[in-house]
Amino acid sequence: MSPMEHPMRKPNDLSRSLTVLNPETTLIAVIEMSQSSWLVAGIVPGIERQPLKKLGVDEDALLRLLLRWQDEAKKAGRQIDRIAVAFEAGRDGFWLARWLRAHDIEAHVIHASSVAVSREHRRAKTDRLDTELLKRAFLGWLRGERDHCKMVAIPTCQAEDAKRPTRERESLVGEKNRIVNRMKAALTRLGIRGFNPKLKKASERLDGLRTPEGEPIPPNTLAELRRDMARRLFIRYQIKEIESARLERHAQAPEAGPNAMVSLLARVVGVGIETADMLVQEVLSRNLRDRRAVARYAGLTGSPDESGAKRREKGLARSGNARVRRGMIQLAWRFLMFQKDSALAQWYRARTENASGCRKTMVVALARKLLIALWRLVRDGVVPDGVVLRPAH
């Protein structure tokens, strides 16, 4: 299967093919969600008041409320042809949007940081006021004014589940490193240095360790270190289990779904299977419009501050996917090591050769260019200039 035949590349359901908003036949509702309750605000055609209802976390109660508002509009002489519901992206994820769409209700998820709020230092903030902001932003977006707010693409349950192994592995690796740092700190507190708790026989060497006073490790600290070592070994086993399961799934269907893109990326010298899987699941399998959208989603674009004669750059916007941003910056450093003859590596060396103190800044620019090049590789099959590929298996 070629990259262009990838089955996940389907038209974005947030394209501007929405029907023109007809306020006489459209029931609009926004939801302010919390862990314990939902506050639902509506705009019902034919009803002068704008209803506001607090519900428990219950999707069935929400559906009954929407249908009741629809009946009220019918009694007022309005025929409701469209029910549009929106809420901010948050901890609850996308399950409610998928559930509403399964019940023939138009559902949208608003990017929380795209809603304009008051710049007052001490502004009033309540759930009721938040629903008013959401209603204004959602109404403007439905009218076709795209800058009122931004909508988040609603993934399928399978697409969300495909991201879990990479994210779980990242969390486990961080936990393993925290355990090692905690063990080293405990030993340093006793004056013991040079002991590596990551060695295979580190547990057997604990009893022989001595403090500068010649005393053995105190019993409580020794027990804590042994528990930490056991926990670290268990986490290592879990990480290997995740990696083995991913390789097994990839071997069973190497050309199915995103696996074709992972196989192509893993052929690039310097890109491992873990990095390739993360990039495909997090960014490259998404239906992004152009190269600017790719860089913006990864948070690798700048944040200029320009007003009148003032011109300055505040650094990375950091508004995109933090996992992709971290992974691409790490990959950019590896790329300079393994792809020295590539056009991108030569561009980086030419920019930093005679300029001191700009290597870290320019590596972010290299990461942005590299991500766009990899996106073109999996989308169009265009190999970046000078990049060495491993033989295809």
Side-chain angles (χ1 to χ4, degrees), residues 35-191:
Q35 297 185 31
S36 58
S37 63
W38 293 345
L39 186 63
V40 187
I43 301 177
V44 183
I47 306 297
E48 184 177 354
R49 64 180 178 86
Q50 294 188 357
L52 190 68
K53 181 67 175 178
K54 188 173 184 178
L55 301 174
V57 182
D58 186 354
E59 62 275 15
D60 293 321
L62 173 63
L63 181 60
R64 289 194 298 268
L65 177 64
L66 296 175
L67 296 179
R68 179 162 64 83
W69 286 348
Q70 184 180 28
D71 293 337
E72 292 180 7
K74 289 180 179 179
K75 292 178 181 178
R78 301 292 194 277
Q79 179 63 37
I80 301 299
D81 298 329
R82 180 186 184 190
I83 301 178
V85 179
F87 55 90
E88 285 184 317
R91 183 176 180 271
D92 286 89
F94 303 97
W95 71 268
L96 182 59
R98 290 192 292 262
W99 187 87
L100 288 171
R101 290 185 175 184
H103 288 78
D104 299 325
I105 294 177
E106 183 181 324
H108 302 278
V109 181
I110 301 174
H111 199 297
S113 63
S114 68
V115 179
V117 297
S118 172
R119 297 172 63 183
E120 294 176 304
H121 179 62
R122 290 191 177 183
R123 65 179 181 92
K125 185 185 184 305
T126 64
D127 288 345
R128 180 182 61 81
L129 294 176
D130 287 345
T131 58
E132 294 296 328
L133 286 175
L134 289 180
K135 278 195 296 186
R136 287 196 293 270
F138 189 37
L139 270 172
W141 187 84
L142 288 174
R143 287 194 300 264
E145 302 173 22
R146 301 177 61 179
D147 291 334
H148 268 274
C149 62
K150 304 295 182 183
M151 294 297 173
V152 182
I154 300 174
T156 63
C157 190
Q158 292 75 18
E160 280 195 302
D161 186 64
K163 299 178 182 179
R164 298 315 308 167
T166 300
R167 295 187 177 187
E168 182 187 6
R169 182 186 180 278
E170 180 184 14
S171 176
L172 290 175
V173 169
E175 186 176 353
K176 184 181 70 171
N177 293 335
R178 285 192 295 272
I179 290 174
V180 172
N181 292 337
R182 187 168 64 243
M183 294 171 64
K184 289 183 178 179
L187 292 172
T188 303
R189 190 175 62 248
L190 298 174

